[in-house]
Amino acid sequence: MKNITVATNASGVMVATLDMPGRPFNVFSEAMMADLAALIDQIERDTAAGNAPAGLVITSGKSSFVAGADLAMIQDFGAMRFSATWQEMRDRYSYLGQLFRRLEKLPVPTVAAVNGLALGGGLELAMACHGRVCADSKYIQLGLPEVLLGLLPGAGGTQRLPRYVGTELGTKMLLDGKPLTADQALASGLVDALAAPEELIAAAVEMVLGMKAGARWDTADFSMPDSDRSAADEDFRSWACEVAGVSARDSNLYPAVDAIINCLTGGHGKSIDAACNVEWDIFVDLMSDPVSSNMVTTCFLSKTAATKNSLAGVPEIAAPASFAVIGGGDLGKKPFKKMTQESEVDADFYLADLASSDVRADLLVQDLRVTQSALSDKPVLRLSGTFAESEVLELAPGKSAEDTALAMAVLQRSGKPIVVSRSAKSVNEVLISAMRSAYAGAGVSAQNFYTQCEAVGLEWLAQTAIEELAEPARSLQVTDRALGLPLLLGLSLDVYAWLKNEFGDSANDALLAGIDLLAVYGVEFPKWTGGPLSCLTMFQRGELKYSGAQALLAQLEWRFKNELGYKLAAA
Ligand SMILES: C/C=C/C(=O)SCCNC(=O)CCNC(=O)[C@H](O)C(C)(C)COP(=O)(O)OP(=O)(O)OC[C@H]1O[C@@H](n2cnc3c(N)ncnc32)[C@H](O)[C@@H]1OP(=O)(O)O
């Protein structure tokens, strides 16, 4: 087994260590599932031969336990909706849950030694063990964040969690996706004990040697932990949303919310096998909806890739030669001026601000070391609203592209984050890029926004298409998928038209993915759409119903995506 190593200690306890080579986190990929299946097979065979281990401890060789199902695989799951039958999807999606049930039914006691974060399928694995001991560490997070990606915990999580912690906390965790700390997990009954990190395995071995095999719900006298609520209650749906802080709007837009509530009500009072079957049926239906695929792609896969690529490209610069800050307000000019005056760093400081309150007005750039008075005094650069680079260079003959820089402080228009980012670009490039980034608006930290922009070269977008989108998308109160659709599609068409005009055939997958990412995180385009291009793709496939479809379709030229080879399956 490549991903799991097994060692049996002197007491006959088997310690299985999950450790995927070359990956920062353990995840349930096909290969990891195959290895877990092989481990279970082996214990079943040994048991049949009268050679059962005294117990099984499952832990991780990484600093975290398991970060859940492999989300790249989950994205493949979603793509099955185009070609596979319902039963084929059911068989594949439920495979991990079935493995966990086999693990739970082993006739040897099993304990999870949770040494670090256990999210999604990672917590589901721990919950399928007969006991759990968790490292007493501030880095512990135990949670089921699937709802945040439009998914549900489909390996028994919707059924086991409330059976451990009760209906109220279980419902809350399932619907808000927030994890528990180690202390909270102990207090709630999710884990049975905490141990110092260095004593974790010893504590798990001791626990497994002192316990009997079997899950608590496989005994005749099992009852749900005390809770003043039951999933069978008539008003359970509205109570569940309230307890988790899910608004009526979000529960309408995000099918995962209803799907999870249906798992809770459908599994209530049933045997664990029957309850898991309910969950697995609902999981197939949920994955048949494009929203889950959209969200996994935009909110995890594209986001992680963009951040990673961007960070990889950021050079190390020991001492920036110049700094630029955008914005002349309370958070811009004042603190920056102070910093300039107090700084002992031998560097240039530039302040860029609009010449008037009109966002399309010229951008004036001042050298703060020279100009201490009003902004309009002798700007070193005067950039027009279109920011053509040639124009910048023309207007600033003294500043060539070779001028090295730089650190850049970006203040968002909302004024909140102040972030310094380093770059090997010229002063001019940094200023242009900073100005465009400053249009990102609220809803995303400047650091995130900047790294995402850098990764996919999206500074271009902030000033043009995305900026156009920002206000309507932000004020758009879509409460229902069908109701908000005309406006969303209109906005999506704007982006599409702009993109086609600007990039034509030179657009690539990374750029297209980045546009969706930027729209979702930069201007709060609704997450369930996956961004404007994913929204159009859903629409094209007939996965969004809208009565004005014909009129809108007439405006579309779908050749665009085909010409560019944009992979619909990846959307
Ligand atoms: C039915 C469904 C069941 C499920 O289990 S769905 C999955 C539920 N789990 C989650 O939603 C957790 C997803 N992961 C995260 O939220 C974060 O990641 C962490 C909190 C675990 C770590 O955050 P940070 O330290 O900032 O690292 P990073 O840059 O996000 O990720 C580092 C590398 O780890 C990969 N990774 C993490 N979790 C998963 C996953 N669940 N599936 C696939 N890859 C994962 C990333 O992609 C990336 O990889 P690279 O370095 O190669 O780019």
Side-chain angles (χ1 to χ4, degrees):
M1 291 187 287
K2 269 196 187 150
N3 302 291
I4 305 180
T5 51
V6 178
T8 302
N9 71 12
S11 329
V13 173
M14 194 183 254
V15 178
T17 305
L18 278 54
D19 197 350
M20 293 179 93
R23 295 192 62 152
F25 290 93
N26 289 318
V27 291
F28 281 108
S29 61
E30 303 282 0
M32 178 60 99
M33 290 195 289
D35 283 358
L36 182 63
L39 174 69
I40 296 169
D41 289 345
Q42 185 191 332
I43 295 174
E44 285 173 348
R45 269 197 313 272
D46 289 352
T47 306
N51 231 350
L56 171 68
V57 167
I58 300 181
T59 191
S60 152
K62 305 207 182 286
S63 56
S64 56
F65 186 64
V66 181
D70 184 348
L71 285 161
M73 177 185 78
I74 296 287
Q75 191 194 39
D76 289 347
F77 281 13
M80 283 179 79
R81 70 184 187 279
F82 303 119
S83 53
T85 63
W86 190 92
Q87 192 55 49
E88 283 164 342
M89 291 194 276
R90 171 69 154 74
D91 291 346
R92 188 159 178 220
Y93 301 175
S94 63
Y95 183 71
L96 185 61
Q98 312 234 29
L99 266 186
F100 288 166
R101 184 64 182 138
R102 278 182 63 203
L103 175 74
E104 189 169 65
K105 283 173 34 185
L106 282 177
V108 300
T110 56
V111 166
V114 181
N115 58 309
L117 67 76
L119 298 176
L123 179 56
E124 289 177 299
L125 166 67
M127 290 196 293
C129 292
H130 305 146
R132 280 147 299 287
V133 55
C134 175
D136 190 1
S137 148
K138 63 178 179 182
Y139 300 111
I140 291 293
Q141 297 177 39
L142 297 168
L144 298 176
E146 282 85 344
V147 70
L148 305 174
L149 296 176
L151 302 167
L152 62 82
T158 64
Q159 304 307 320
R160 290 192 181 90
L161 183 66
R163 283 167 172 77
Y164 280 121
V165 303
T167 304
E168 178 155 355
L169 181 59
T171 302
K172 182 178 174 312
M173 287 175 69
L174 284 161
L175 290 182
D176 71 13
K178 291 188 187 146
L180 300 184
T181 61
D183 285 339
Q184 289 168 331
L186 181 67
S188 68
L190 183 55
V191 301
D192 306 299
L194 301 185
E198 60 282 7
E199 286 159 16
L200 182 69
I201 301 301
V205 167
E206 194 185 326
M207 183 183 283
V208 87
L209 286 172
M211 72 191 300
K212 285 199 188 129
R216 58 187 76 173
W217 31 83
D218 285 326
T219 59
D221 57 352
F222 173 73
S223 61
M224 283 286 285
D226 279 348
S227 183
D228 51 4
R229 278 292 167 159
S230 151
D233 291 349
E234 238 175 57
D235 63 344
F236 179 72
R237 194 167 298 272
S238 55
W239 172 84
C241 288
E242 198 183 317
V243 84
V246 177
S247 66
R249 172 175 174 260
D250 281 358
S251 91
N252 278 340
L253 293 176
Y254 295 88
V257 173
D258 252 8
I260 289 170
I261 294 175
N262 290 340
C263 289
L264 289 166
T265 54
H268 176 78
K270 294 201 166 75
S271 71
I272 197 75
D273 286 311
C276 284
N277 272 316
V278 168
E279 178 190 274
W280 299 337
D281 286 349
I282 294 173
F283 191 27
V284 179
D285 294 340
L286 181 64
M287 294 296 293
S288 304
D289 188 306
V291 169
S292 47
S293 294
N294 285 343
M295 289 180 65
V296 169
T297 303
T298 313
C299 303
F300 187 77
L301 298 173
S302 302
K303 199 171 152 206
T304 318
T307 307
K308 188 178 168 191
N309 291 339
S310 166
L311 292 178
V314 177
E316 291 288 328
I317 303 172
S322 49
F323 292 84
V325 70
I326 303 294
D330 283 351
L331 287 162
K333 191 174 177 185
K334 283 185 193 162
F336 198 62
K337 243 185 164 170
K338 193 162 184 286
M339 177 178 153
T340 310
Q341 282 151 9
E342 288 172 5
S343 173
E344 290 175 5
V345 176
D346 182 19
D348 294 333
F349 292 89
Y350 298 98
L351 171 71
D353 200 12
L354 297 167
S356 81
S357 58
D358 178 355
V359 292
R360 290 197 173 283
D362 291 357
L363 177 72
L364 302 181
V365 181
Q366 270 186 306
D367 183 338
L368 279 185
R369 282 267 159 100
V370 176
T371 316
Q372 298 293 335
S373 57
L375 246 186
S376 54
D377 283 353
K378 296 181 191 153
V380 280
L381 297 179
R382 185 179 183 107
L383 311 185
S384 84
T386 53
F387 299 96
E389 194 167 349
S390 55
E391 192 180 9
V392 171
L393 293 172
E394 194 181 313
L395 283 162
K399 296 284 166 193
S400 76
E402 283 76 47
D403 286 339
T404 50
L406 313 141
M408 175 181 72
V410 178
L411 305 191
Q412 290 194 335
R413 269 199 296 173
S414 64
K416 280 180 194 150
I418 304 177
V419 165
V420 175
S421 183
R422 284 157 182 257
S423 156
K425 293 176 178 175
S426 74
V427 173
N428 295 333
E429 284 172 309
V430 167
L431 287 172
I432 295 165
S433 154
M435 189 57 201
R436 286 175 173 151
S437 300
Y439 279 105
V444 58
S445 83
Q447 180 68 66
N448 276 345
F449 177 77
Y450 183 68
T451 56
Q452 285 157 12
C453 284
E454 280 287 271
V456 287
L458 283 179
E459 318 72 304
W460 301 96
L461 271 178
Q463 173 68 12
T464 52
I466 293 293
E467 188 199 339
E468 300 292 323
L469 278 178
E471 286 316 314
R474 236 177 254 138
S475 56
L476 184 64
Q477 281 299 310
V478 182
T479 52
D480 177 288
R481 284 211 234 170
L483 285 180
L485 201 52
L487 184 47
L488 286 181
L489 287 172
L491 295 172
S492 301
L493 280 169
D494 284 350
V495 174
Y496 163 78
W498 177 86
L499 186 67
K500 189 173 179 196
N501 185 40
E502 193 83 7
F503 289 93
D505 290 345
S506 68
N508 56 29
D509 282 357
L511 179 69
L512 296 171
I515 284 163
D516 276 347
L517 194 63
L518 183 68
V520 165
Y521 288 97
V523 300
E524 298 171 29
F525 208 86
K527 284 197 177 93
W528 64 268
T529 62
L533 297 181
S534 297
C535 185
L536 286 178
T537 304
M538 276 196 283
F539 180 47
Q540 180 201 24
R541 289 194 194 114
E543 291 176 313
L544 284 180
K545 302 285 173 248
Y546 168 52
S547 58
Q550 285 312 319
L552 275 164
L553 262 179
Q555 298 177 41
L556 295 174
E557 291 174 49
W558 290 106
R559 254 178 338 116
F560 170 70
K561 285 196 170 183
N562 296 334
E563 276 167 10
L564 295 169
Y566 181 40
K567 295 174 193 62
L568 293 182

